[in-house]
Each structure stands twice: as structure tokens, then as C-alpha cells.
Amino acid sequence: MTQAEAQGLIQVLKRLLQQGMIVLPPMGSMAKLDLCSVFSEKDRFTIIFNRSGRVRKDKYTLLLRYGKDKGLLRIDVGGPDHINPDGTIVPCPHIHIQQRDTGAWDSWAVEIPAVFGNVEDRIQTFRAFLQYCNVHNIASIEICEQSEMG
């Protein structure tokens, strides 16, 4: 997929198929949400909220995928720095987005845009991620976190 194609898919207006309450996953698990283009039910997307790590409570990843396996956008929080192919080091948190028309789509990372605010607030960051992914029906959902045990 080219950089232009990836950008086009990120920018397409999308809607969440799930309505009502969205519960963010507790540490050690992940959640998947299905989306589709508002223009065609055939254009399917998935947002994955991954907290499968069990060591760091602040670590999580948000991923936008097109179809079954085409990654478009990923935010990493609480993880290691990323080393780009040119040797530049990008501290965490950072965002992966296709920067070139060659290589793996997530081989490049850049600093997370200011629009995401305080990434320690997972609910606010998730809401900002939905907006960044051009999801239009955010107002129709409520987002909460499952309480952590221990």
C-alpha cells in the first residue's frame, strides 16, 4: 500500500458499528472494535486497544487496521523508544504511520501529535484516537475503563 492510499483510508469518514458503552480493556487484555466507511459497508476497519502486557500498567497500544491485516496507524504508550530506519530515535509515546512507499508501514515513527494531550488518560486518548481516525459517531458512545484489581 502506498503512503497516499494509507492516508486516504485514514481520512475516510468511518462509523463505529458498536453503540452505547465501550469498556476499555484492563491490563493483560485487549479489545477490538469494528468500523466501516460511511460510504460503503464493504470498507471495514478495526480499532484494537491492546493492554496485553502485564508488567507496566501505563503501557498500551492503539491500532487502526483496514480489512483483515493492513495496519494504517498505531500509537504506542509506555513502551520503548523507536529507532527509525535512518537511525533517528523517537521516544515513547509515539505514533506509527506510513512515511514512505517502501518497507513495512510501521517501520517509521514520529512524536505523538499534541492533539492526543495527556496519554496517561486512556479514555481521553482513545477518544482523540477515534477523532484522528475520522470516526464520526463518537458522540453516540460512552467510554469507560474496567476497574483494575490489585
Side-chain angles (χ1 to χ4, degrees), residues 46-108:
T46 305
I47 288 182
I48 298 171
F49 195 118
N50 187 354
R51 293 191 67 205
S52 60
R54 296 185 181 274
V55 177
R56 294 187 58 173
K57 287 185 176 186
D58 65 335
K59 185 176 181 181
Y60 66 94
T61 296
L62 292 167
L63 171 68
L64 173 65
R65 216 169 42 192
Y66 175 69
K68 291 187 188 299
D69 61 359
K70 291 179 176 62
L72 296 173
L73 190 63
R74 187 177 84 220
I75 291 178
D76 294 327
V77 177
D81 295 344
H82 179 84
I83 302 172
N84 283 329
D86 66 358
T88 56
I89 297 173
V90 182
C92 209
H94 52 253
I95 188 168
H96 293 265
I97 189 166
Q98 189 160 347
Q99 299 287 312
R100 308 281 191 279
D101 286 340
T102 58
W105 74 272
D106 61 350
S107 59
W108 292 86

Side-chain angles (χ1 to χ4, degrees), residues 9-10 12 14-18 30-37 41-50 61-75 105 126 129-130 133 135:
L9 288 168
I10 292 167
V12 74
K14 302 166 196 69
R15 69 179 175 88
L16 283 163
L17 298 179
Q18 178 179 341
M30 74 165 50
K32 291 182 180 182
L33 298 170
D34 294 320
L35 302 94
C36 69
S37 163
E41 290 272 332
K42 292 178 184 175
D43 283 332
R44 294 296 182 124
F45 299 84
T46 305
I47 288 182
I48 298 171
F49 195 118
N50 187 354
T61 296
L62 292 167
L63 171 68
L64 173 65
R65 216 169 42 192
Y66 175 69
K68 291 187 188 299
D69 61 359
K70 291 179 176 62
L72 296 173
L73 190 63
R74 187 177 84 220
I75 291 178
W105 74 272
F126 182 67
F129 186 75
L130 293 174
C133 294
V135 177

